Amino acid sequence: MDTIASLFSFITTPVSWVIVQFHTVYGAIFGPDTGWAWGLSIVSLVILIRICLIPLFVKQIKATRAMQTLQPEMKKIQERYKNDKQRQSEEMMKLYKESGTNPLSSCLPILAQSPFFFALYHVLNGIASGQTIGVINASLLESARKAHIFGAPLAAKFKDSASTIDALGASVTDVRVVTVVMIVMMSASQFYTQRQLMTKNVDTTVKTPFMQQQKMLMYVFPIMFAVFGINFPVGVLIYWLTTNVWTMGQQMYVIHNNPTPGSKAQASYLERLTKHVTHHGKVRRRSEKTIVKAIVAKGRDRNEFERKFINGLNKAGLVAQADGTVVTGESQAVSQTEDGATTSTAAAARRQQPKRQSKAQRQSGGTKQAGEDTPAATSLEKSDEPQDDTPAAAKQPQKPGSGTRSKAQSGQRKGGPQRPKSPSKK
């Protein structure tokens, strides 16, 4: 660890300068030689670094989402070229290039934070060995060696000998109790952060090896922190515990406000958004408009939670627009169905046709009488009696006994010359 930390010695001067500046502020409040002044200086260093890493964190979120979207395509490539690893790698790189994703983007915050971590370790190790480092001079070194957090010096380690701990003015019991508690809290926060990601913010409709790897890391990382934690000084444990708590809170915020599509977190978010939009009748936040816009753009590719969201708006008389806004159904000429298709309300009204009645219903008086408000329905009904367009003057009187036979039945044609009758045979 000391060898790795020495590789980042170039950054120890800026890190030590930041710590000293924070120590000046907190020392005026709690006292320059107290553990609170030095401990809060380390916590403030973590917060400052993580604030500077927020743009990288946003890039990490986008890269993780893009990788999750590509999981089905990656699985197809693995199955298609499972016997040709070289072709499989080439197709994977081609897929990354076409989609504009980078698998290493998800590791950017950790990689960017590592130099500061090792620089801080180098500074605290110098304090433990009694050596001035960076801008920490002899007086600041003596003040830092006197600082204790719950009875444990900032530079003490779990594996330090009793003589080393006595030289720092503490007891072995106090140091080991404090370090064990911090290691357990550090491992627990790491486990909860990873578990929160796996159980709430993963698309449950896609089962890929990537999910199994994440599940394995959920148990591996806490064990790694526990193993390496016994070699960290108390000050580094404060640094790492603080950054884990920051990561956990930051991830909770992202899951709550911008969940992964298809995850349980998205179902909870869209349920809250449906209640909010139906209550206020509009979308107020820009982030909410962005999510609604993405859902509308998906059309028929929406998942079950997104379809339920669109249906909930339609039941409330609201329609989601392509720009992410929501309007009432009466003011919208074109409404969207749950599968993404558009339907004109005017055309839908024109397509509505009255139901035709059967002959039995018409004979039993089921038709509406004239004067009622359904002229269109009555106009579509057929009259029971046959219509005769022959003028009254051209009508021939029927012979007695002929009954009600029509001309067509008696062999006579309706129009034109009549067919001569054959003479009857006697």
Side-chain angles (χ1 to χ4, degrees), residues 33-86:
D33 299 334
T34 60
W36 288 105
W38 286 99
L40 289 176
S41 300
I42 296 173
V43 172
S44 300
L45 173 67
V46 176
I47 295 175
L48 178 63
I49 293 173
R50 296 308 300 266
I51 290 175
C52 295
L53 293 178
I54 285 178
L56 291 179
F57 178 76
V58 174
K59 192 172 183 178
Q60 178 193 22
I61 293 295
K62 294 181 179 179
T64 304
R65 296 285 174 81
M67 290 296 295
Q68 291 174 348
T69 305
L70 293 178
Q71 287 305 310
E73 298 296 329
M74 294 170 61
K75 188 176 181 180
K76 292 179 181 179
I77 293 175
Q78 291 174 354
E79 293 177 353
R80 185 180 303 172
Y81 305 104
K82 59 183 178 181
N83 297 326
D84 190 351
K85 298 298 182 181
Q86 182 178 359

Side-chain angles (χ1 to χ4, degrees), residues 36-37 51 64 66 80 86 128 208 228 239 254 266 288 375-376 387:
W36 288 105
I51 290 175
T64 304
R80 185 180 303 172
Q86 182 178 359
T208 61
F228 291 111
Y239 175 93
V254 172
Q266 190 198 30
E288 294 175 350
Q387 299 293 332

